[in-house]
């Protein structure tokens, strides 16, 4: 209570009126992101920053007293990266949500971190510009959160991830110092690539308060194909073979048999319930209709060569939109199933070399058989990023044990096959124990040294990404 009072009396006057709250109910309601079964501590206060100065004042205060600070955006993450730790200040930048500048000449946009990804996309349309990265939570996730986790999405197989678009960051460091990293120009190699370092650092090195992103011309409408396969292995083999030709689809997603079933239970999507796996492919041909048609035809030929049961095509934009909307419904469909069957779901995020995906699915079947659990998989198949969801009865200790065992074995298989424990969701608290298994000793030393140099008191998002290095 003494610390809470100091926050109100000493920090409060330096902030935008009403920015700080120590009311237990308010603080508790902001204590966690969407990660199930990730630890949540007891925060002392919530600061809802509206200005850069709010962020600076909070970090100066916290640094002076050695108080941990957990940065937050819209808390849509699923790795526990925004979860409270005991005794911390939750520092939300959700209300810093202005689009500051759209520069059509330079094809850049400058935003505050709380801007919603979809809101940004919609604001750019009238300028004939686009920001491609599109996480599954595009309608509710923030640009600041996307930067924190280096978020990807459905179209990243062609257009890349968040890091590929960040030109410049303004960051508040642990001691309250405001600094500018990167450059707004198309080229620039002055100094180290600190932008690349901070993107994906999950709030452990500093708090992003402004982002300048490069843009591209408005994306052309795509052509669409859907291929059905008898098995996940066959679909994965088709993906590996198709991408090995140098193809550049604007989307290449996959659904396994369990995902198909859960989506059909969730809504009237009309997916082929007899299929063991579906591939959802789009090509925009960089605006050239003939090129798109050729790429779709090449995909169909590859799919058929690898045993596709059926390949369907569409040139109707409404069909394309419906296909993407169906894919985005996978997470809500999974959540409903989990709630109806004991409340347990662990969502993994392994990224693999594409050529290793067929073997991954073989090994996943072994895990399913041994644990007796349903494991449904959706994937950004074109870039090897698979999202297995392990369902279990959270009321049953034995079911819970087997689920965590399966979750960890999936990561282990990913590493064995030359992959990584997280392709886009981040390490957070959920996977922090696994990061040392992926990084060698030299890399762990570099990580520790950088963290110690930038945040010597260790106040920024402790217990998360770098905690066990």
């Amino acid at each position: 209570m003494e610390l809470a009072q100091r926050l109100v009396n000493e920090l409060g006057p330096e902030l935008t009126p009403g920015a700080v709250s120590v009311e237990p109910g308010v603080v508790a309601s902001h204590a966690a992101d969407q990660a199930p079964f990730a630890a949540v501590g007891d925060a002392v206060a919530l600061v809802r920053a509206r200005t850069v100065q709010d962020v600076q004042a909070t970090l100066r205060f916290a640094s002076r007293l050695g108080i941990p600070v957990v940065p937050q955006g819209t808390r849509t993450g699923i790795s526990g990266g925004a979860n409270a730790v005991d005794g911390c200040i939750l520092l939300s930048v959700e209300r810093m949500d202005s689009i500051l500048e759209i520069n059509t000449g330079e094809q850049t946009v400058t935003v505050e971190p709380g801007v919603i990804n979809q809101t940004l996309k919609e604001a750019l349309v009238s300028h004939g510009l686009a920001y491609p990265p599109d996480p599954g939570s595009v309608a509710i996730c923030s640009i600041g959160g996307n930067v924190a986790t280096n978020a990807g999405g459905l179209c990243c197989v062609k257009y890349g991830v968040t890091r590929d678009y960040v030109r410049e960051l303004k960051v508040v460091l642990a001691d309250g110092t405001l600094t500018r990293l990167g450059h707004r120009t198309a080229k620039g190699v002055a100094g180290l690539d600190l932008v690349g370092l901070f993107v994906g650092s999950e709030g452990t090195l500093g708090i992003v308060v402004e982002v300048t992103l490069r843009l591209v011309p408005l994306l052309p409408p795509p052509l669409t194909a859907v291929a059905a396969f008898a098995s996940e292995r066959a679909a994965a083999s088709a993906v590996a073979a198709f991408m090995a030709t140098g193809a550049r689809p604007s989307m290449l997603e996959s659904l396994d048999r369990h995902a198909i079933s859960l989506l059909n239970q969730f809504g009237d999507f009309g997916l082929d319930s007899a299929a063991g796996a579906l591939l959802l492919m789009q090509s925009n041909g960089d605006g050239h209709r003939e090129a798109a048609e050729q790429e779709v035809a090449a995909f169909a030929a590859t799919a058929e060569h690898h045993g596709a049961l059926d390949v369907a095509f569409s040139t109707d934009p409404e069909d394309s939109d419906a296909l993407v909307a169906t894919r985005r419904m996978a997470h809500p469909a999974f959540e409903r199933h989990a709630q109806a069957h004991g409340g347990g779901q662990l969502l993994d995020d392994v990224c693999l070399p594409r050529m290793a995906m067929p073997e991954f699915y073989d090994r996943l079947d072994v895990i399913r058989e041994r644990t007796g659990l349903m494991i449904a998989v959706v994937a950004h198949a074109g870039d090897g990023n698979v999202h297995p969801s392990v369902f279990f009865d959270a009321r049953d200790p034995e079911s819970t044990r087997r689920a965590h065992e399966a979750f960890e074995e999936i990561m282990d298989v990913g590493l064995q096959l030359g992959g990584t424990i997280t392709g886009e969701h981040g390490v957070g608290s959920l996977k922090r124990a696994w990061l040392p298994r992926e990084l060698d000793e030299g890399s762990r030393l570099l990580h520790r040294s950088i963290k110690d140099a930038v945040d010597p008191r260790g106040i920024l998002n402790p217990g998360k990404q770098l905690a066990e290095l």
Side-chain angles (χ1 to χ4, degrees), residues 59-60 62-64 67 69 71 169-181 192-199 201-208 445-462 465-466:
L59 285 178
R60 283 194 297 264
S63 179
R64 187 170 71 250
I67 303 169
V69 176
L169 296 175
K170 287 187 179 177
V171 178
V172 179
L173 302 178
D175 64 357
T177 299
L178 176 66
T179 186
R180 180 180 66 86
L181 309 176
L192 301 176
D193 180 15
L194 296 180
V195 165
L197 176 65
F198 274 72
V199 175
S201 63
E202 301 181 34
T204 62
L205 301 180
I207 297 180
V208 172
L445 176 60
L446 282 172
H447 279 75
R448 291 193 298 267
S449 298
I450 291 168
K451 172 67 171 175
D452 291 344
V454 177
D455 180 20
R457 299 200 69 178
I459 66 169
L460 288 175
N461 218 6
Q465 186 188 60
L466 306 179

Side-chain angles (χ1 to χ4, degrees), residues 243-389:
M243 295 303 296
T245 67
R248 297 186 67 241
S250 51
M251 187 182 83
L252 184 51
E253 298 287 299
S254 69
L255 306 170
D256 78 343
R257 63 188 185 276
H258 297 300
I260 294 167
S261 175
L262 294 180
L263 277 164
N264 281 336
Q265 293 172 33
F266 186 73
D268 185 20
F269 298 120
L271 300 176
D272 185 353
S273 59
L278 291 177
L279 293 181
L280 318 177
M281 180 268 190
Q282 291 186 337
S283 174
N284 60 27
D286 294 320
H288 302 287
R289 177 63 174 263
E290 184 178 351
E293 290 174 346
Q294 290 173 352
E295 191 162 56
V296 169
F299 168 75
T302 302
E304 289 167 355
H305 180 74
H306 285 82
L309 305 173
D310 181 56
V311 183
F313 307 91
S314 177
T315 60
D316 187 339
E318 290 188 4
D319 288 343
S320 294
D321 291 344
L323 182 71
V324 173
T326 299
R327 167 62 181 85
R328 292 194 191 282
M329 285 295 103
H331 189 55
F334 287 8
E335 284 186 329
R336 176 184 287 184
H337 176 80
Q339 290 166 3
H341 295 82
Q345 180 190 4
L346 289 170
L347 175 58
D348 225 320
D349 171 41
V350 174
C351 194
L352 304 153
R354 289 186 293 260
M355 300 300 290
M357 285 199 298
E359 183 176 351
F360 172 80
Y361 282 108
D362 287 345
R363 296 202 194 182
L364 186 63
D365 271 339
V366 174
I367 297 171
R368 286 170 171 146
E369 184 175 353
R370 187 177 63 255
T371 61
L373 299 172
M374 176 191 284
I375 303 176
V377 185
V378 295
H380 307 310
D383 49 24
N385 193 182
V386 297
H387 296 311
S389 280

Side-chain angles (χ1 to χ4, degrees), residues 401-467:
R401 184 195 65 77
R402 285 185 280 121
H404 283 275
E405 180 182 289
F407 182 77
E408 298 214 346
E409 190 168 350
I410 288 168
M411 286 189 284
D412 191 37
V413 168
L415 292 178
Q416 289 177 30
L417 295 176
T420 176
I421 60 171
T422 177
E424 59 185 7
H425 293 168
V427 174
S429 60
L430 201 61
K431 295 188 174 184
R432 67 185 186 188
W434 276 83
L435 188 59
R437 307 189 197 190
E438 179 167 334
L439 306 181
D440 64 28
E441 179 52 37
S443 180
R444 295 196 295 272
L445 176 60
L446 282 172
H447 279 75
R448 291 193 298 267
S449 298
I450 291 168
K451 172 67 171 175
D452 291 344
V454 177
D455 180 20
R457 299 200 69 178
I459 66 169
L460 288 175
N461 218 6
K464 309 295 174 59
Q465 186 188 60
L466 306 179

Side-chain angles (χ1 to χ4, degrees), residues 42-295:
D42 293 321
V44 175
L46 168 68
V47 173
R48 288 177 278 206
R50 290 189 177 273
T51 67
V52 174
Q53 291 73 26
D54 286 343
V55 176
Q56 289 184 277
T58 301
L59 285 178
R60 283 194 297 264
F61 178 85
S63 179
R64 187 170 71 250
L65 297 181
I67 303 169
V69 176
V70 175
Q72 296 183 329
T74 52
R75 293 178 290 113
T76 59
I78 46 180
S79 65
N83 285 9
V85 298
D86 288 342
C88 77
I89 297 172
L90 300 172
L91 178 50
S92 171
V93 295
E94 184 176 10
R95 294 182 176 181
M96 297 175 65
D97 60 357
S98 296
I99 298 174
L100 301 174
E101 179 191 42
I102 298 173
N103 188 326
T104 57
E106 296 297 332
Q107 294 193 334
T108 62
V109 62
T110 300
V111 301
E112 290 184 317
V115 170
I116 299 300
N117 188 307
Q118 184 64 43
T119 301
L120 174 59
K121 292 183 189 305
E122 292 169 357
L124 296 172
V125 170
S126 63
H127 300 275
L129 296 170
Y131 174 64
D134 60 339
S137 57
V138 62
I140 55 175
C141 65
S142 65
I143 296 299
N146 294 170
V147 169
T149 59
N150 191 26
L154 277 64
C155 74
C156 294
V157 61
K158 181 169 186 172
Y159 291 101
V161 297
T162 301
R163 180 179 283 117
D164 300 311
Y165 293 87
V166 179
R167 288 272 182 89
E168 181 183 86
L169 296 175
K170 287 187 179 177
V171 178
V172 179
L173 302 178
D175 64 357
T177 299
L178 176 66
T179 186
R180 180 180 66 86
L181 309 176
H183 45 77
R184 296 196 178 197
T185 52
K187 295 170 67 177
V189 293
L192 301 176
D193 180 15
L194 296 180
V195 165
L197 176 65
F198 274 72
V199 175
S201 63
E202 301 181 34
T204 62
L205 301 180
I207 297 180
V208 172
V209 292
E210 185 178 296
V211 187
T212 296
L213 302 162
R214 76 173 180 91
L215 305 173
V216 300
L218 203 60
L219 305 185
L223 303 182
T224 298
V226 179
F229 295 83
S231 69
E232 298 157 312
R233 166 174 262 279
S237 297
V239 169
F242 179 58
M243 295 303 296
T245 67
R248 297 186 67 241
S250 51
M251 187 182 83
L252 184 51
E253 298 287 299
S254 69
L255 306 170
D256 78 343
R257 63 188 185 276
H258 297 300
I260 294 167
S261 175
L262 294 180
L263 277 164
N264 281 336
Q265 293 172 33
F266 186 73
D268 185 20
F269 298 120
L271 300 176
D272 185 353
S273 59
L278 291 177
L279 293 181
L280 318 177
M281 180 268 190
Q282 291 186 337
S283 174
N284 60 27
D286 294 320
H288 302 287
R289 177 63 174 263
E290 184 178 351
E293 290 174 346
Q294 290 173 352
E295 191 162 56

